Each structure stands twice: as C-alpha cells, then as structure tokens.
Amino acid sequence: PMTAVLPSALLGSYGSAFGRQPEMLDFFARLFGPYPFAGYTVVVTADQLEIPLEAQGMSTFGSNFLTADWDNVRLVAHELSHQWFGNAVTLASWRDIWLHEGFACYCEWLWSEESGGRSADEQARAHWKKLSAKPQDLMLGDPGPDLMFDDRVYKRGALLLHALRLTVGDATFFEMLRTWIDANRYGSVTSAMFESHAAESAGQPLDALFDAWLRKRSLPPLPEASATSG
C-alpha cells in the first residue's frame, strides 16, 4: 500500500507534487522490477525542510515541497526511486555513493520524459552543459567525504548512465538495470560489481567508458543521441 501522513491543513496541496506518484511507482516497477517492499509511506511535515529524506519504505518532505514545480516533482520521483537504488540494492562503501544518487537523478530524467516533460536526452545535455562550467575537481568513483553529496556527484552519475545507455542501446540498457536489481536485491554492491554486470550484459568491454566517467576528473563528452538503438 501507498500511504501519506500529513497535517490536515496541507491535504489540499498534497496532489500538486504527489498526484502522479502512483504512476511513478508503476513506471519504475516496469523498468526495474517489482516494488521491493511491503509499502511506501510519504510523511509531510508542517515545517519547511531544506531537502527531502528517504529511508526504507518511507520518505519525508517539508510542506514547502507541495507544489507542482518540476524542482519539487522531480524530488518525488528521486526519493521513490531510492527504494530500488539505495534500499533494495545498497552500496557497500560510501565511495560508491553514485550507485544511489546518480541512479536516482537519472530516474528524475526518465520520469520527466514519461510524464510529458523534457526527454531524458534533453535533460542530460542541459545538465552536461551546466556541469561543464563547474570546477572539474571531483572524481565520481571516489569523491571523498567532503564532496560525497555534492550535486556534481548526482548529475555526473546520471550522465554516466545516459552515456552507457547511448553506448549499448535502450533494450540492453534497461534489461541491464532490471537484472542488476534482480541479481542484487537486498544485498550490498560496489562500482566494480556494476561495471562487471554492465559489460556482461552488453557483451562488450566498457572499461574506457567507466574509466572516463568514474576515474577521471575532466567531464567526458556525451555520445551522440543517434547512437541509441532500441
């Protein structure tokens, strides 16, 4: 069951941000496999919060997130997707935080396209441009404690996934994510495990792609969109 807990004064605003959350859940379940827990609860506080916070089977939002603005709706998708990428499949080391946050950020872009907004490719190219203007001093595969939750980790991790998708094609990419969840459900994972899984799923070496995105600080170019094959 999907439930919401919030002050009665906020009931009328709940649908603005969360009205399509059941569709999000169905969409992510189609992409990644069945929802991994018995239920999902959203708690909305009367207080305003700087950021939402998810835990296994639950997310907490401040009342300030109850609007239909994309910057709020994307976070509804982001926190929900963590039930697959973060709670069902959990990193073994904090250095691999991109396995949570990069995937959840990419789920925002997937939902954007699914819900009639910008395509995932448009989102990726817009964020690549923004990221290219920022300092190139972060290594995604080991950002360190000070930069672990830097927004560049989120966006570069999502861009890695889009680059991977463009490299291997849609059918292989989404099957790769489904089998990643299925093979590791309720277990702990590492970047090395994902790299191995991706190469095996794609039937081709992907070392150069992962080296560029995970182990180099400079921002690699995205492949051309025409490289995607269904």
Side-chain angles (χ1 to χ4, degrees):
M2 181 178 287
T3 58
V5 179
L6 66 163
S8 57
L10 299 176
L11 283 171
S13 303
Y14 179 77
S16 298
F18 291 91
R20 299 189 70 179
Q21 186 173 245
E23 294 176 60
M24 291 179 187
L25 192 150
D26 290 342
F27 175 58
F28 292 150
R30 291 198 307 273
L31 292 183
F32 312 130
Y35 178 77
F37 303 108
Y40 184 63
T41 299
V42 168
V43 176
V44 180
T45 69
D47 297 324
Q48 297 193 3
L49 302 179
E50 182 179 358
I51 57 172
L53 180 67
E54 52 77 30
Q56 189 178 103
M58 186 180 81
S59 294
T60 302
F61 290 77
S63 59
N64 48 306
F65 292 98
L66 296 182
T67 76
D69 293 346
W70 168 246
D71 276 341
N72 292 335
V73 173
R74 72 176 181 85
L75 293 173
V76 175
H78 183 106
E79 305 307 340
L80 176 59
S81 72
H82 270 314
Q83 300 307 314
W84 285 266
F85 303 104
N87 292 309
V89 176
T90 306
L91 55 79
S93 170
W94 285 114
R95 70 170 60 89
D96 295 330
I97 187 64
W98 81 275
L99 291 173
H100 291 197
E101 302 302 348
F103 279 70
C105 182
Y106 196 60
C107 286
E108 298 174 21
W109 302 351
L110 293 173
W111 174 250
S112 173
E113 182 170 330
E114 173 71 9
S115 62
R118 290 199 292 180
S119 70
D121 190 72
E122 290 171 326
Q123 291 276 10
R125 293 183 191 281
H127 283 289
W128 187 95
K129 187 174 181 180
K130 292 178 182 178
L131 208 56
S132 69
K134 294 183 178 181
Q136 305 294 308
D137 60 355
L138 179 142
M139 186 180 297
L140 182 63
D142 190 4
D146 292 339
L147 297 178
M148 188 169 67
F149 292 107
D150 190 294
D151 189 60
R152 290 173 295 169
V153 170
Y154 292 56
K155 300 305 190 290
R156 183 167 176 141
L159 287 168
L160 184 163
L161 291 171
H162 194 63
L164 178 60
R165 178 184 177 183
L166 292 171
T167 299
V168 304
D170 281 8
T172 298
F173 176 75
F174 287 109
E175 180 64 16
M176 181 188 298
L177 297 192
R178 282 191 294 272
T179 54
W180 171 247
I181 294 292
D182 187 58
N184 298 289
R185 192 178 297 261
Y186 312 129
S188 298
V189 295
T190 65
S191 286
M193 289 170 64
F194 183 73
E195 290 183 59
S196 177
H197 176 81
E200 182 178 353
S201 299
Q204 61 176 289
L206 296 167
D207 299 33
L209 184 149
F210 283 107
D211 282 345
W213 288 95
L214 281 178
R215 290 177 280 276
K216 301 289 175 60
R217 288 180 168 83
S218 59
L219 185 67
L222 281 171
E224 292 300 319
S226 58
T228 301
S229 60

